[in-house]
Amino acid sequence: MAIRHDKRAADALRPISIKRQYTRYAPGSVLVCFGETKVLCTACFEEKPPQWMRGKGKGWITAEYAMLPSATHTRCSRDNNQKGRAQEISRLIGRALRAVTNLDAMGECMVVIDCDVIQADGGTRSAAITGSWVALHDAFEISIQSGYLEQSPLKNHCAAVSVGVVKDQVVLDLNYAEDVEAEVDMNIVMDDLGRLIEIQGTAEGAPFNRSKLDKMLALGEKGIHELLSIQKQ
């Protein structure tokens, strides 16, 4: 496979790290790094679920995603023009975590996941999902220790990774420079049983064929298996 400009093989992840208990007050807090991309993920409990769910005896997980003003090459205002993008990623994170959680086993409460991008170098939504699962896991463990839950409502692990086509080469875990020049950009979310939770794929230039799609899915699955292994460690 071709070597990329950062010396990685096409099928290689960037260096990955997950630092737990990163902040003092949130029940779950994680600093997750995909290479130079750094995202702080926290999980906090609220006593009541959303208004539309009250009285149903089940819980809810929601997420909020944002970038710090200095997270990118040039400072952006806190009230910048990426509100639509941030909302879309927030919803993606929430959907991914709810897909692997037994909401009926949570009781009538809500967990709010906050994902704040400290430094962005591509793959922020993938890093946010992968780190948020660990933050959610730790929050549930604290809830068990306090006696609120008897066991964790988590049914499975989940993680996410980006794949794409750069200079006609299918590559894994794109950094910013690769993301800018990608002909195809895709994000894949899977659980630890190999089941797909979500696929977001776009032809940034010319349309891509089924063969390229199959290669991207296979490469994404390989990367997610590696991320899940890091989670479980």
Side-chain angles (χ1 to χ4, degrees), residues 18 24 30 32 40 44 46-47 51 58 66 73 91 93 109 128 167 177 215 223 231 233:
I18 300 175
R24 176 178 296 181
V30 164
V32 57
L40 175 61
C44 296
E46 293 192 2
E47 292 183 3
Q51 181 68 39
K58 61 193 297 185
H73 295 85
R91 290 173 174 171
I93 297 165
C109 72
K167 298 179 180 176
K215 289 178 180 178
Q231 272 187 349
Q233 289 174 16

Side-chain angles (χ1 to χ4, degrees), residues 61-136:
I61 300 169
T62 189
E64 294 187 14
Y65 166 101
M67 282 194 182
L68 296 185
S70 58
T72 55
H73 295 85
T74 56
R75 185 188 183 279
C76 59
S77 168
R78 293 185 188 274
D79 297 320
N80 58 36
N81 59 6
Q82 295 197 21
K83 288 184 178 179
R85 177 179 180 272
Q87 186 176 63
E88 181 258 321
I89 296 174
S90 298
R91 290 173 174 171
L92 170 63
I93 297 165
R95 287 194 301 270
L97 296 175
R98 291 193 297 271
V100 294
T101 305
N102 180 0
L103 301 177
D104 292 323
M106 287 177 60
E108 288 210 3
C109 72
M110 180 165 66
V111 180
V112 180
I113 305 293
D114 286 294
C115 297
D116 291 290
V117 179
I118 297 172
Q119 184 168 284
D121 187 36
T124 59
R125 72 186 69 193
S126 300
I129 291 169
T130 304
S132 289
W133 186 93
V134 180
L136 181 62

Side-chain angles (χ1 to χ4, degrees), residues 29-50:
S29 66
V30 164
L31 179 68
V32 57
C33 301
F34 279 33
E36 294 300 314
T37 287
K38 305 178 189 297
V39 185
L40 175 61
C41 307
T42 59
C44 296
F45 285 95
E46 293 192 2
E47 292 183 3
K48 296 179 180 179

